[in-house]
Amino acid sequence: MPADPFVFFQRPYPSANMVLVRGEYPILLDSGYGSDLPETEDLLKRAGTPPESLSLVVNSHYHCDHAGGNSGLQRDHGVPVAAHRWEAELVNRRDREACGVEWLDQPIEPYRVERPLSDGHELDAGPVVLQVIETPGHTLGHVSLYAPEEATLLLGDAVHGDDVAWLNPFREGVGAAHRALESLDRLSTLRARRTFSGHGAEITDLPAAIDAGRRRYEKWLEEPERSYWHACKRIFGYALMIHGGQDEDEVSPYLLRCPWFQDYARHGFGTEPETFVEPLVAEMLRSKAAGWSGGRLVALPPHNQPPPGWPSGPTRPRDWPGTSRR
């Protein structure tokens, strides 16, 4: 076994971080954004584990920044995919809700889940054994992985070192914040010397990160609009990244056709979508999530813009190849 079986890849948006568990049966947690596949393959090769040698790619959840590379790894290298059983079912039947693609307007290329996961399942990387821990909140089917012998936690979006995951009461249910808090409580009971998050640097003080997340979610329960602002900025900022920004005259038409924007405007803030465009853009500018550049609204955080021509195929589950669609 390598001296350190865990290789942490900290990645810029639109990809999420990945963790490679090296061993006789290498396992990769999360696969990044679809357009970043060449970089994903290169990172694995430089870590001494070319993609074709992976025994499994596990998704912490099915959003495109964590699962977008599944298609290429599966198609080009024969890597099987594992995910929580609820999310696996949605993906495999090509349900319109799968991956949140249509609601979020975030493209993801076709893939299938071969190994549905439940709480308590074990994944053997040889010799590292990973336990599957259900950590819902950000999504209902979110999972984290725990290596008890190595005291190592792979967290996905359950915990971040300098932020919290955005919450979606419209697709994940009004109890999302309560579930996120319960997940934090569960994770706080585990002995962990090393912890890797889905975004940001390696977490060096897990108890402090959990406490900060707990305070934030509790505040959101008291003042739900804080949660809505957080989500809107994250979702719109991500859209600006993957679309390379938007001309000034494109912003309003784009937002008004997005289901997430309509839901947050009407049911979160109690206003009509047309009247919410200007406040959201103002908040994006104030918080430095976005800025104007040459007449275009662009995302300011570091990110890799998808190259021209990507994607080249269907990116909505209802259009993926397959026979069972809803």
Side-chain angles (χ1 to χ4, degrees):
M1 184 175 81
D4 185 356
F6 299 96
V7 183
F8 175 60
F9 303 106
Q10 184 177 349
R11 309 187 72 183
Y13 292 107
S15 280
N17 296 338
M18 306 185 307
V19 183
L20 172 65
V21 186
R22 294 187 289 190
E24 187 176 356
Y25 314 106
I27 293 173
L28 181 68
L29 177 68
D30 290 331
S31 60
Y33 191 68
S35 65
D36 285 335
L37 179 65
E39 180 188 14
T40 298
E41 295 170 324
D42 186 58
L43 288 169
L44 291 168
K45 291 174 184 175
R46 284 191 275 138
T49 306
E52 63 270 17
S53 70
L54 291 172
S55 71
L56 195 66
V57 58
V58 179
N59 295 145
S60 61
H61 61 294
Y62 60 7
H63 286 161
C64 66
D65 53 333
H66 295 260
N70 291 359
S71 181
L73 291 176
Q74 195 170 65
R75 178 191 65 240
D76 300 337
H77 307 290
V79 183
V81 174
H84 189 276
R85 66 189 189 281
W86 295 338
E87 297 189 354
E89 182 182 356
L90 290 174
V91 167
N92 288 347
R93 75 185 186 204
R94 277 52 177 140
D95 194 286
R96 292 182 65 161
E97 294 293 329
C99 307
V101 167
E102 293 201 29
W103 191 79
L104 290 167
D105 186 40
Q106 294 179 357
I108 188 167
E109 295 174 299
Y111 70 96
R112 288 191 61 82
V113 178
E114 289 92 348
R115 188 166 179 180
L117 302 176
S118 296
D119 193 69
H121 279 176
E122 292 189 341
L123 306 173
D124 186 1
V128 176
V129 176
L130 301 164
Q131 296 178 355
V132 176
I133 302 173
E134 291 180 351
T135 48
H138 183 49
T139 70
L140 272 171
H142 191 287
V143 297
S144 300
L145 301 180
Y146 179 50
E149 292 297 321
E150 293 77 16
T152 299
L153 262 171
L154 317 183
L155 295 162
D157 283 356
V159 184
H160 297 317
D162 58 359
D163 197 0
V164 292
W166 63 273
L167 298 181
N168 180 359
F170 307 108
R171 286 299 187 269
E172 305 299 336
V174 294
H178 291 286
R179 287 191 290 274
L181 284 165
E182 290 176 354
S183 293
L184 293 180
D185 289 342
R186 185 177 188 190
L187 291 168
S188 71
T189 67
L190 301 177
R191 181 180 67 92
R193 293 192 301 267
R194 301 180 71 188
T195 49
F196 302 109
S197 172
H199 297 284
E202 178 177 350
I203 297 174
T204 57
D205 190 339
L206 181 62
I210 288 176
D211 287 345
R214 187 180 288 117
R215 289 193 299 271
R216 191 91 172 271
Y217 287 136
E218 288 172 346
K219 188 69 171 177
W220 286 358
L221 287 172
E222 297 173 2
E223 302 178 56
E225 282 197 1
R226 290 178 178 263
S227 170
Y228 306 152
W229 278 117
H230 182 265
C232 287
K233 288 189 288 184
R234 294 298 180 274
I235 299 169
F236 188 31
Y238 197 81
L240 294 175
M241 292 177 188
I242 63 177
H243 294 301
Q246 293 175 348
D247 290 338
E248 187 172 1
D249 61 359
E250 295 177 324
V251 172
S252 181
Y254 172 78
L255 290 173
L256 291 175
R257 66 175 178 263
C258 286
W260 66 266
F261 182 79
Q262 297 177 31
D263 281 345
Y264 277 108
R266 289 196 174 100
H267 308 300
F269 295 98
T271 188
E272 286 302 308
E274 290 81 2
T275 64
F276 187 54
V277 173
E278 186 175 340
L280 177 55
V281 172
E283 177 59 19
M284 297 290 290
L285 298 172
R286 185 205 64 79
S287 64
K288 295 183 170 53
W292 292 108
S293 176
R296 287 180 68 80
L297 187 65
V298 298
L300 295 182
H303 62 279
N304 295 326
Q305 182 180 336
W310 190 92
S312 59
T315 58
R316 295 191 174 207
R318 62 175 172 168
D319 299 325
W320 290 355
T323 57
S324 178
R325 300 173 185 148
R326 290 182 56 185

